[in-house]
Each structure stands twice: as structure tokens, then as C-alpha cells.
């Protein structure tokens, strides 16, 4: 019999009056039951976070750092157990789930390091003008208040970590809402935080439904919102609370550019392998998965068959099997949406070179060429195992093709030319440019986020801590400088 998982209310385990089932998108089996907080319990969590905000901001750095170190260590100890859980509730192949746990280990470790050095204060002498003689300014950062973190399903552990860890490191209480489809991985972080000495109320993990979020979003006691998800929902949040501070990571349709100097057999084999892997590695359900391949005409005819072969070599199937590269999407509805978009493109004249078939929640890794510019799959984020390949003439046309999108999260450029790399960095309207690889690379300590409709603000531990805090200046007078 499946046990019911409690949620975390102001640092303690709690249960509500109802439960929801968490099922596997691979075979539909019951993975677990999760207790849902009542309205009164949600109010209790918000009130506790608001009440503890000053105490938590003043908590010594070593206390917060020790708690974060503890979570990092315990995640590492439980890697296999947690990876199996991620795979079961999300459908992610277990080998990728293990990598996700490893990244979460790093996120909490980075946060512990930042907690120890963040907010140390920066001194600025003011006697550069006569009116500032004998004065010194000391600038420190303080939390803006309680953070409402809203996490998505595609990285159900690591993106919860990216909400929680920077908040704790900065001394900001946080209420985390994990995705309804994948709450179990986020609740595990609560298991580990409960083993620490953080103040009661400084964190809660509440698996509430999306329909209950407007009230939390509107609550004035939660002045900071960190959201990862669709642009539709993200901008609806922004429009509803224009005076709050928002960090929005809203996705993209990542482009991989392969330029003409990337021409040896080894170069093209590497590019094709990386493109095939990272258009499919989470079932394509990653904001920076490869969706668009933009290839110079000089190498297009040699690259395209390599991409198709590499995509067709991806092993699909049971996500619990170590050999599986591509598992199901998060739901059958998600797979049906991808199917509809591919069928629309083919009906409009696109050429299907691989895949194009759905089986329940699974969709075969797919390659399309000759895709019209106005079909959905050219304009929107597919969030599925589908890539399009386009031929261009030269660098300028390639960079223009990357920028011809309402999104701007990350781009990859395969080139050996250093000058081209710097031109790409200047020209491409994205939050990150990766040279010699796909756009799917993310180091969890670097700034991560986009421009245009890919969102506002930056994740990455230190950069999220900056987002959660503000500068306050202390002016000291009458000093002998």
C-alpha cells in the first residue's frame, strides 16, 4: 500500500484533509500520494514566514551555511534513491536523473559558499568632494522579504534547489510550490532541511494546485516571486503584480549554429552527437534543449545525415533502464500537443526525416527540414524531442536566424574562430552564448536567464541572491580618513 507523503509547513511535517496521486508518465503506476495543504495551513505558512523575516535575515552566516552544507551532503548520500524517484514521477531516464541530483548537490554547496561571503559590505570614501569630507559609505545587501518560489516539473529537484538554496543563503524566508505533477522530489529537500537548525517559519514546501496560486501571488507579505515555467503564466503573474519583484525564467527555442569552419569529420560528428543528445535528453523538456539547428551551406549536406543518424540512435523506452536515453513526456497530453505541432508542420510542407510518431506519453525523437517560418513549431517552444534543421549562407544570416525569435535564452555556436565567438557574443540576442557546444550547457553557479520573452532576472546562486536582496547604504560621519 502506498504511503501518503506529508508536506512541510514552517519547517515541520504536516498533512491536510485531501491527497493527490502522483503517477508515472511511463506506465501510469502510482508513485505516491501527497497530502494537500488546506487554506488555513497555507495562511499559517505565509504568516510564519512573514513573522520570522527579520530574525532570519539576522541569522549568522555560519548557521545558514551549515544548513546548506548539510542538505548538499545528504543529497549526495541519497543520490540513487532520489534519482529513482525523479525518474518515476517525471519519466526522466534514470541516468539523467542521477545527473540532476548531482547538480542539486552542487547548488546547495555553492549556496553554502556564497552564504559565507555574501553581504560582507563594500566601503566607499565620500571625501572625493568637499561636502563629503570625513564621511564613509558602507553598502550592504538585505533581503527584500519572503520569497515565493514556483518550480516546474522538468527538473523537479534541481529547480526547487535553485529557488530554496539562494533564499536561505541570503537570509530570505521562502515558500516553495513544487509542480503538481512532480511534488515528491521537492518534498525530499524538506526532509533534509528539517534535519537542520534553521528557524521555524524560514521555509515551507506546499504542494498546492495551480488553481490556488493567484491568492499567493497577490499576497502582499510575499514581495518576491521566482517563477520558472511558461511565458503565458509568467507574464500573467507579472501583469497581476506589477509592483512586486519578479524573476521569470520562461523558456526558449534554443538554436545551435554550425558554421562553415566547423568542417572536419570529427567536428561534424561531435556537433551531430551533441545536437542529437541535447534535443532529446529530457524528452526535449528543457528550456535550453536544441530545437533549431542553423547550419552553414558549406557543411549542411555533410552534417544533416549525421544528425539524423545520431537522433535515430537515441535509445527510447523505460526510463528506469540505464540504457534509455529518451523517456516519455510528462503526460500524454504533452505528447499529443507535440504530435499536433509536428503534423501541422508536415501538412504545411516540412520534410520529416526521423521520428514523427507518438505512443501514449512517448514521442519519437524527430527531425524536420524545410519547415515554414509561420508554423507553430517554428515560432513557439516545442518542449518535446523535436528539432528543425535549416540551411543558411554564412555567419551573418546564421546570427539573424537565431535572433528571428520572440525568445532569447541561450544559443550554441560551433566554430573554431575566436573572432567569430566574440562577434556571436555581441550579436546574438540571448542570455548566454556557448561556443563549441549546444545551447543546453548550464553551470549552476553562472548567471542563467534570458531576454525578450525568455524572461527577466537571473538564476544561478549568487545572481539569485542579488535578486532576492537590495542595497542599503550606511553613511558614517566625522571620521579621520
Amino acid at each position: 500500500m502506498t504511503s501518503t507523503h506529508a508536506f512541510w509547513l514552517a519547517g515541520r511535517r504536516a498533512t491536510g484533509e485531501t491527497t493527490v496521486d502522483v503517477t508515472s508518465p511511463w506506465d501510469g503506476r502510482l508513485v505516491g500520494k501527497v497530502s494537500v495543504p488546506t487554506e488555513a495551513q497555507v495562511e499559517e505558512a505565509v504568516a510564519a514566514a512573514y513573522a520570522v523575516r527579520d530574525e532570519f535575515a539576522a541569522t549568522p552566516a555560519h548557521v545558514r551555511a551549515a544548513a546548506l552544507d548539510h542538505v548538499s551532503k545528504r543529497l549526495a548520500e541519497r543520490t540513487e534513491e532520489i534519482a529513482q524517484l525523479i525518474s518515476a514521477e517525471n519519466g526522466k531516464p534514470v541516468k539523467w536523473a542521477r545527473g540532476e541530483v548531482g547538480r542539486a548537490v552542487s547548488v546547495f554547496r555553492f549556496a553554502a559558499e556564497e552564504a559565507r561571503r555574501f553581504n560582507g559590505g563594500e566601503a566607499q570614501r565620500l571625501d572625493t568632494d568637499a561636502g563629503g569630507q570625513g564621511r564613509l559609505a558602507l553598502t550592504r545587501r538585505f533581503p527584500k522579504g519572503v520569497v515565493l518560489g514556483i518550480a516546474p516539473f522538468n527538473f523537479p529537484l534541481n529547480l526547487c534547489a535553485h529557488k530554496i538554496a539562494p533564499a536561505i543563503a541570503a537570509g530570505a524566508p521562502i515558500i516553495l510550490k513544487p509542480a503538481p505533477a512532480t511534488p515528491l522530489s521537492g518534498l525530499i529537500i524538506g526532509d533534509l532541511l528539517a534535519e537542520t537548525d534553521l528557524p521555524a517559519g524560514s521555509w515551507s514546501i506546499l504542494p498546492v494546485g495551480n488553481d490556488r496560486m493567484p491568492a499567493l501571488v497577490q499576497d502582499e507579505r510575499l514581495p518576491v516571486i521566482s517563477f520558472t515555467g511558461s511565458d503565458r503564466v509568467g507574464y500573467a503573474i507579472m501583469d497581476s503584480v506589477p509592483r512586486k519583484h519578479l524573476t521569470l525564467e520562461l523558456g526558449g527555442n534554443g538554436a545551435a549554429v554550425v558554421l562553415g569552419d566547423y568542417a572536419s569529420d570529427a567536428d561534424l560528428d561531435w556537433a551531430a552527437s551533441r545536437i542529437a543528445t541535447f534535443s532529446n535528453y529530457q524528452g526535449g523538456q528543457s528550456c535550453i534543449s536544441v530545437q533549431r539547428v542553423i547550419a552553414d551551406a558549406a557543411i549542411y549536406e555533410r552534417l544533416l545525415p549525421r544528425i539524423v543518424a545520431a537522433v535515430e540512435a537515441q535509445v527510447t523506452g523505460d526510463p528506469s533502464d540505464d540504457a534509455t536515453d529518451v523517456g516519455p513526456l510528462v503526460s500524454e497530453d504533452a505528447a499529443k500537443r507535440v504530435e499536433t505541432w509536428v503534423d501541422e508542420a508536415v501538412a504545411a510542407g516540412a520534410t520529416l526525416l526521423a521520428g514523427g510518431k507518438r505512443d501514449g506519453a512517448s514521442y519519437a525523437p524527430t527531425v524536420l527540414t524545410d519547415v515554414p517560418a509561420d508554423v507553430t513549431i517554428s515560432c513557439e517552444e516545442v518542449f518535446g524531442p523535436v528539432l528543425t534543421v535549416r540551411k543558411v549562407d554564412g555567419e551573418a544570416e546564421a546570427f539573424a536566424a537565431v535572433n528571428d525569435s520572440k525568445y532569447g535564452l541561450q544559443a550554441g555556436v560551433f566554430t573554431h574562430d575566436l573572432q567569430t565567438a566574440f562577434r556571436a557574443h555581441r550579436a546574438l540576442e540571448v542570455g548566454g552564448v556557448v561556443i563549441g557546444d549546444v545551447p543546453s550547457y548550464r553551470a549552476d553557479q553562472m548567471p542563467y536567464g534570458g531576454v525578450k520573452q525568455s524572461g527577466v532576472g537571473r538564476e544561478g546562486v549568487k545572481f539569485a541572491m542579488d535578486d532576492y536582496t537590495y542595497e542599503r547604504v550606511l553613511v558614517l560621519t566625522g571620521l579621520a580618513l
Side-chain angles (χ1 to χ4, degrees):
M1 185 171 181
T2 304
S3 61
T4 297
H5 295 260
F7 54 88
W8 292 98
L9 170 57
R12 73 177 192 280
R13 196 182 300 271
T15 56
E17 298 171 353
T18 61
T19 63
V20 295
D21 292 345
V22 180
T23 58
S24 166
W26 168 246
D27 56 14
R29 68 183 172 88
L30 182 65
V31 179
K33 290 179 176 290
V34 173
S35 187
V36 179
T38 65
E39 295 292 344
Q41 288 170 321
V42 171
E43 168 58 28
E44 183 181 347
V46 174
Y50 187 75
V52 81
R53 68 193 189 286
D54 291 338
E55 176 190 345
F56 193 42
T59 301
H62 72 87
V63 174
R64 287 180 275 116
L68 294 161
D69 274 330
H70 175 82
V71 175
S72 178
K73 177 183 176 182
R74 294 284 285 129
L75 285 171
E77 292 171 350
R78 296 175 61 178
T79 293
E80 188 61 26
E81 169 203 348
I82 298 172
Q84 294 292 342
L85 178 62
I86 292 171
S87 182
E89 70 170 346
N90 171 277
K92 180 176 301 191
V94 70
K95 68 179 182 182
W96 292 113
R98 293 189 188 104
E100 180 175 348
V101 179
R103 289 180 60 189
V105 168
S106 295
V107 167
F108 278 95
R109 187 182 73 250
F110 295 146
E113 294 166 357
E114 292 296 342
R116 292 185 172 97
R117 60 176 168 247
F118 187 74
N119 202 29
E122 179 180 339
Q124 182 181 20
R125 64 185 307 157
L126 301 177
D127 61 354
T128 50
D129 288 315
Q133 187 168 336
R135 297 177 187 265
L136 179 75
L138 180 67
T139 303
R140 296 171 59 197
R141 299 191 71 89
F142 294 87
K144 293 173 179 173
V146 183
V147 177
L148 173 61
I150 307 171
F153 68 82
N154 56 328
F155 289 86
L157 179 74
N158 195 43
L159 292 183
C160 286
H162 270 287
K163 307 300 182 192
I164 290 178
I168 291 173
I174 181 165
I175 292 174
L176 174 73
K177 177 205 172 296
T182 56
L184 299 174
S185 302
L187 290 172
I188 279 186
I189 296 176
D191 295 348
L192 308 183
L193 285 171
E195 299 170 353
T196 72
D197 295 325
L198 294 176
S202 59
W203 60 274
S204 292
I205 303 177
L206 305 179
V208 298
N210 291 340
D211 60 322
R212 294 172 61 186
M213 288 311 295
L216 273 174
V217 166
Q218 293 284 343
D219 197 307
E220 294 183 358
R221 294 168 294 179
L222 309 175
V224 180
I225 299 175
S226 178
F227 170 84
T228 302
S230 72
D231 55 345
R232 178 182 60 83
V233 176
Y235 285 118
I237 292 173
M238 176 179 282
D239 290 343
S240 71
V241 286
R243 292 178 178 82
K244 287 196 177 189
H245 180 87
L246 269 64
T247 299
L248 302 178
E249 199 285 279
L250 305 180
N253 53 2
V257 175
V258 186
L259 292 175
D261 70 299
Y262 219 76
S264 72
D265 287 341
D267 285 343
L268 296 177
D269 287 343
W270 164 257
S273 173
R274 298 295 283 178
I275 287 166
T277 297
F278 288 97
S279 65
N280 297 291
Y281 74 123
Q282 312 284 340
Q285 298 170 122
S286 168
C287 300
I288 46 177
S289 65
V290 182
Q291 182 171 334
R292 298 181 292 154
V293 179
I294 299 164
D296 191 281
I299 49 85
Y300 178 86
E301 299 299 337
R302 296 168 59 213
L303 176 65
L304 182 59
R306 285 174 161 90
I307 290 175
V308 173
V311 168
E312 291 180 333
Q314 295 288 301
V315 178
T316 61
D318 186 344
S320 66
D321 188 335
D322 278 359
T324 297
D325 298 312
V326 187
L329 276 70
V330 73
S331 68
E332 186 168 357
D333 284 346
K336 287 180 177 178
R337 178 189 54 75
V338 173
E339 180 182 42
T340 298
W341 289 12
V342 172
D343 290 350
E344 176 201 26
V346 172
T351 302
L352 179 67
L353 298 182
K357 297 179 181 178
R358 182 181 65 83
D359 181 9
S362 297
Y363 197 82
T366 297
V367 181
L368 297 166
T369 59
D370 309 311
V371 181
D374 59 349
V375 299
T376 307
I377 213 162
S378 293
C379 305
E380 302 294 337
E381 179 179 35
V382 66
F383 227 59
V386 180
L387 63 85
T388 66
V389 187
R390 171 181 175 181
K391 178 165 58 176
V392 296
D393 289 316
E395 174 189 308
E397 187 175 340
F399 291 173
V402 173
N403 291 340
D404 186 19
S405 170
K406 67 180 182 180
Y407 298 110
L409 187 48
Q410 291 197 163
V413 180
F414 289 89
T415 182
H416 293 298
D417 188 276
L418 184 61
Q419 294 296 332
T420 299
F422 277 97
R423 286 195 297 271
H425 194 214
R426 177 177 294 277
L428 296 180
E429 298 167 354
V430 294
V433 178
V434 183
I435 302 298
D437 206 349
V438 291
S440 316
Y441 175 77
R442 177 182 180 183
D444 292 286
Q445 72 271 39
M446 75 181 191
Y448 176 77
V451 297
K452 299 192 281 190
Q453 291 190 34
S454 286
V456 295
R458 290 294 179 268
E459 292 186 340
V461 176
K462 176 185 180 298
F463 304 93
M465 292 169 70
D466 286 342
D467 250 2
Y468 294 167
T469 57
Y470 69 96
E471 291 180 319
R472 186 186 298 166
V473 177
L474 174 69
V475 177
L476 302 174
T477 305
L479 303 178
L481 298 177

